């Protein structure tokens, strides 16, 4: 392309692309002693994907393959590619080989010369290869070492000094040891919800770039609320020059607004530092009237504006463009003094926001598959539909793809971003910390500008682990504490604040007491305190349906219960029905959480009489039960947290402002806390989350003493007046209510209000439901909220007693009709029942898609549900294949 043409299309990507040689696509892979050689490989990719594609191994997710394929992790693998380079390309002053992600330990060889090595899968590696390239064909080799062996070696070296625990995961994980010694996805050596597949490979894009003077490496933009009329857009542009030569030329920034494009041009004339890098800062004041504010999901549009930065050198041979989209918003984490403790909540654009959300584990156990846009989109769209406004990217996985953060910004889903350290102590040798600094630099510069990025956290649970001696560190506490401060404060936090000009929000751990932890030398006396910061709360023993047992923290960033994925998902990993027994070897193999299957059964027993024979199979009924129990328990806990947002109790607890349940997704088919299984199928929890996170809800807290408090909760930005709250009592044996009590209420914006309190036994027996001790087994509460007869919240219900002790009447529920109503694949499903029906559950066995609601209660004889089909299908086919079930037609319940 001629220079003239290049100038004309200065601001398109075309010129820049003339100086990129893309190395994605086909490569060759061999085992380094040639046991397996010259296999086709795909980049971005990884060794497990390549071995599967070559038919050397079967589906790694099938059966016990996670254990049977362990030989792969002990071998070293070499990736090769030949690339043709033109003289025009090679004539550029700077020629770099860029790997956006290398997993993890590798040596990089170009035409027989070692050009560098890698040791951190979260770093972008850039190697100057100009002097090693020739015009014509060049050979690139990437030699990967076994991560399991390297981790072991590093552990042995470290242990000459002192050991960094935990050395190995619990036996149940079937995992590998010493993952904390290496900078690789921590859960790739197994976790309590996932298998061990310690992959190696080029897991992100790879290319060769060439330029004369400079290239834009990162654009880190930050929106600052300057004054009532202006935003300031602070932009740090990081530019590179390998030879540390003076960089000259022009930088142009272009911001789209509602009224016009705002452009700024500055001359560049600077000398790169010792790393060959130069940072140029541009500030732009933007009138607030020119742009709409960016809002989280549920509070307004999440408007983003195009923002381009272009560099052109003097002779116009270099054109480098970075395109992004920016939202104008102010985010604060408020930790203010209360009589007891500190608050802990987020404000966006000065509005305190209750964070409704979930925790994300890696999109896939194979990191390259986690880049798949379709899968990212499916998860985030589902979260958005559930009114989720925050997702925590958990610290044992990966910093997700650019697309993930672009989409969360578009959807108004704030991100709580952990740095990738989880459930372990970590080394602090000079080389380790240097490696971490590289990681922080790359990831913070890559991620910070996304509008969705709200807070960075140093690690997952390591403050608690250290304080509570999870890994026997107590005897040597001061050493591990010193390491803790060195890693998370002196290294990570300092680097993070340097990049963000002290404006970024950073907490040291999750959970943490926030400022209180900081004041206690970063490790609080009780990091799980309800009076400060966030908590993680898991209860597998106490009755989950009783709200007395839940804490009332400032922010609950993890809580959850396990369930089983659907039978169709199970039959993609086994074809043996005996494997579907909760007591089978296979089930124990897939259940990594120590005592997990016992806990799962214990949860069911609070709800149902599960007969002994159900231990033989976890057929549909058993799976269905676990999904009900999970959905119901998480719903009760979530609604409890939401109900605590406006009040403080005498012990200082309250003002709860966040509920992020554990966990959104899965990395294989197994018992887990997820709401969406590995194959993308929604569990009942996913459907229920659309309701328990709705902007306005009516809910209850049922205490051990059978006192029932009814709450009206609103996240809306303005008050809602004259609402009718209907508290209906039904006897289980009739669709005709026993009693309806209507209350007229107003709910303030962003608040929770206790609108009524009952003694359930007194109230229900007075209504004729039975004696003081039997009334609660015969009747239940049904709650709804309307305004001018239009529903403003999902209906809700309270079971005053365990379902297993309630006198539920058998219902006959059926699908009357299914009809297509739109070309977009939406079908209407008409359902009828002759009695109150519980947890009515629709499943589309063949055709993928989701229902508008599922797992619901029917108190009326008829109901309409929509099915969004993801595949072409017909009315008749769906009528034949969609199944419907409900609690009483499951054989375990009736004990037949
Ligand atoms: C939390 C997490 C994970 C774990 C989950 C379920 O503590 O941080 O480490 O997978 O619990 O046990």
């Amino acid at each position: 392309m001629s220079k003239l043409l290049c100038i004309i299309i200065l601001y398109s990507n075309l010129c820049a692309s003339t100086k990129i040689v893309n190395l994605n696509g086909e490569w060759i892979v061999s085992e380094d002693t040639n046991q397996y050689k010259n296999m086709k490989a795909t980049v971005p990719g990884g060794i497990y994907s390549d071995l599967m594609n070559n038919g050397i191994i079967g589906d790694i997710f099938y059966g016990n393959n996670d254990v049977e394929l362990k030989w792969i992790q002990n071998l070293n693998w070499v990736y090769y590619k030949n690339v043709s380079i033109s003289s025009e390309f090679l004539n550029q002053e700077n020629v770099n080989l860029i790997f956006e992600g290398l997993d993890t330990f590798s040596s990089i060889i170009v035409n027989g010369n070692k050009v560098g090595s890698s040791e951190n899968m979260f770093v972008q590696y850039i190697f100057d290869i100009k002097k090693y390239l020739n015009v014509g064909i060049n050979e690139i080799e990437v030699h990967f070492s076994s991560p399991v062996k390297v981790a072991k070696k590093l552990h042995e070296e470290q242990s000459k000094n002192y050991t960094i625990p935990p050395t190995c995961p619990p036996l149940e994980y079937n995992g590998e040891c010493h993952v904390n010694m290496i900078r690789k996805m921590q859960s790739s050596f197994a976790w309590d919800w996932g298998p061990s597949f310690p992959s190696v490979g080029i897991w992100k894009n790879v290319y060769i770039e060439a330029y004369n003077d400079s290239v834009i490496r990162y654009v880190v933009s930050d929106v600052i609320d300057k004054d009532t009329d202006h935003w300031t857009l602070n932009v740090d542009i990081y530019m590179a020059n390998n030879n540390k030569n003076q960089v000259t030329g022009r930088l142009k920034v272009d911001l789209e607004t509602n009224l016009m494009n705002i452009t700024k041009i500055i001359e560049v004339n600077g000398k790169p530092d010792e790393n060959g890098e130069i940072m140029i800062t541009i500030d732009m004041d933007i009138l607030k009237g020119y742009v709409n504010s960016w809002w989280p999901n549920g509070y307004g549009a999440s408007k983003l504006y195009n923002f381009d930065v272009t560099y052109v050198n003097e002779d116009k041979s270099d054109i480098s463009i970075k395109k992004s989209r920016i939202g104008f918003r102010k985010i604060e984490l408020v930790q203010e003094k209360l009589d007891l403790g500190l608050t802990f909540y987020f404000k966006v654009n000065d509005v305190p926001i209750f964070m409704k959300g979930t925790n994300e584990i890696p999109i896939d156990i194979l990191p390259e598959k986690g880049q798949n846009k379709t899968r990212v989109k499916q998860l985030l769209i589902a979260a958005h539909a559930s009114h989720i406004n925050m997702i925590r990217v958990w610290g044992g996985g990966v910093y997700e793809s650019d697309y993930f953060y672009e989409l969360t910004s578009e959807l108004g889903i704030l991100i709580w971003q952990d740095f990738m350290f989880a459930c372990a102590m970590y080394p602090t040798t000079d080389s380790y910390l240097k490696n971490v600094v590289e990681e922080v630099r790359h990831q913070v510069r890559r991620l910070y500008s996304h509008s969705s990025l709200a807070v960075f956290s140093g690690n997952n649970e390591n403050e608690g682990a250290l304080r509570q001696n999870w890994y026997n560190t107590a005897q040597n506490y001061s050493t591990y504490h010193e390491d803790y401060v060195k890693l998370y404060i002196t290294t990570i936090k300092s680097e993070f604040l340097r990049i963000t000009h002290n404006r970024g929000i950073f907490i040291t751990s999750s959970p943490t007491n926030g400022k209180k932890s900081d004041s206690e030398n970063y490790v609080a006396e009780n990091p799980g305190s309800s009076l400060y910061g966030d908590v993680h709360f898991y209860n597998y023993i106490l009755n989950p349906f009783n709200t007395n047992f839940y804490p009332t923290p400032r922010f609950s960033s993890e809580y959850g219960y396990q369930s089983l994925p659907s039978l169709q998902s199970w039959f993609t990993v086994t074809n043996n029905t005996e494997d579907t027994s909760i007591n089978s070897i296979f089930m124990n193999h897939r259940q990594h959480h120590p005592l997990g299957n016992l806990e799962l059964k214990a949860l069911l027993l609070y709800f149902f009489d599960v007969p002994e024979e159900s231990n033989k199979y976890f057929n549909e009924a058993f799976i269905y039960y676990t999904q009900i129990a999970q959905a119901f328990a998480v719903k009760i806990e979530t609604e409890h947290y939401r109900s605590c947002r406006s009040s403080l109790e005498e012990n200082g607890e309250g003002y709860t402002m966040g509920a992020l349940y554990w966990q959104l997704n899965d990395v294989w088919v197994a018992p887990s806390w997820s709401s969406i299984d590995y194959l993308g199928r929604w569990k009942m929890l996913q459907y229920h989350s659309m309701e328990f996170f709705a902007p306005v809800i009516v809910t209850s807290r049922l205490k051990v003493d059978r006192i029932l408090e009814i709450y009206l909760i609103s996240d809306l930005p303005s008050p809602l007046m004259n609402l009718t709250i209907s508290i209906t009592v039904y006897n289980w044996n009739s669709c005709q209510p026993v009693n309806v009590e209507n209350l007229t209420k107003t709910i303030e914006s962003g608040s929770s209000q206790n609108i009524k309190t009952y003694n359930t036994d007194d109230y229900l027996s007075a209504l004729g439901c039975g004696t003081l001790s039997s009334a609660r087994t015969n009747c239940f509460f049904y709650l709804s909220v309307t305004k001018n007869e239009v529903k403003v919240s999902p209906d809700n219900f309270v079971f005053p007693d365990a379902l297993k002790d309630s006198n539920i009447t058998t219902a006959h529920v059926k699908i009357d009709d299914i009809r297509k109503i739109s070309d977009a694949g939406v079908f209407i499903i008409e359902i009828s029942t002759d009695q109150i029906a519980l947890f009515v559950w629709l499943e589309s066995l063949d055709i993928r898609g989701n229902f508008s609601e599922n797992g619901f209660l029917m108190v009326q004889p008829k109901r309409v549900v929509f099915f969004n089909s993801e595949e072409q299908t017909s009315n008749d086919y769906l009528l034949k294949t969609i199944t419907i079930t409900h609690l009483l037609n499951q054989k375990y319940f009736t004990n037949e």
Side-chain angles (χ1 to χ4, degrees), residues 290-321:
Y290 278 36
V291 288
N292 300 81
S293 299
W294 181 96
W295 287 98
N297 187 15
Y299 290 82
S302 315
K303 177 77 182 155
L304 297 171
Y305 295 89
N306 290 322
F307 180 62
D308 298 347
V309 181
T310 311
Y311 165 74
V312 183
N313 66 346
E314 272 172 0
D315 71 4
K316 306 205 168 44
S317 58
D318 289 339
I319 295 149
S320 170
I321 305 176

Side-chain angles (χ1 to χ4, degrees), residues 543-597:
N543 185 346
F545 310 113
N546 208 309
T547 55
N548 288 73
F549 300 131
Y550 293 115
T552 304
R554 303 285 186 240
F555 197 111
S556 188
S557 50
E558 272 192 31
Y559 57 96
Y561 294 89
Q562 282 199 352
S563 70
L564 299 174
S566 77
L567 207 56
Q568 292 127 285
S569 296
W570 279 109
F571 282 131
T572 65
V573 298
T574 178
N575 55 15
N576 185 350
T577 327
E578 280 170 20
D579 286 344
T580 64
S581 154
I582 189 80
N583 294 333
S584 66
I585 295 169
F586 185 67
M587 259 303 274
N588 276 329
H589 180 83
R590 291 264 159 168
Q591 173 61 271
H592 281 190
H593 189 60
L595 303 180
N597 287 344

Side-chain angles (χ1 to χ4, degrees), residues 141 162 194 501 532 612 732 805 857:
E141 297 164 51
Y162 61 97
H501 302 287
Y532 302 92
E612 259 315 293
W732 285 114
D805 299 323
L857 198 72

Side-chain angles (χ1 to χ4, degrees), residues 191-193 394 423 460-461 536 538 540 558 593 662 673:
W191 213 261
D192 63 355
W193 35 255
W394 166 80
C423 301
N460 172 72
E461 295 184 349
H536 294 181
Y538 291 94
Y540 302 116
E558 272 192 31
H593 189 60
W662 184 266
W673 297 258

Side-chain angles (χ1 to χ4, degrees), residues 21-29 39-46 49-50 53-54 79-83 98-99 201-208 368:
V21 174
N22 185 357
L23 301 184
N24 287 348
E26 205 172 294
W27 284 57
I28 300 288
V29 63
M39 294 177 290
K40 258 195 196 169
T42 307
V43 169
S49 296
D50 291 329
N53 292 339
N54 282 284
Y79 282 78
Y80 305 89
K81 186 173 182 83
N82 285 342
V83 50
I98 301 194
F99 293 91
I202 304 166
W203 71 289
K204 290 191 156 199
N205 295 326
V206 51
Y207 53 91
I208 305 176
E368 71 273 16

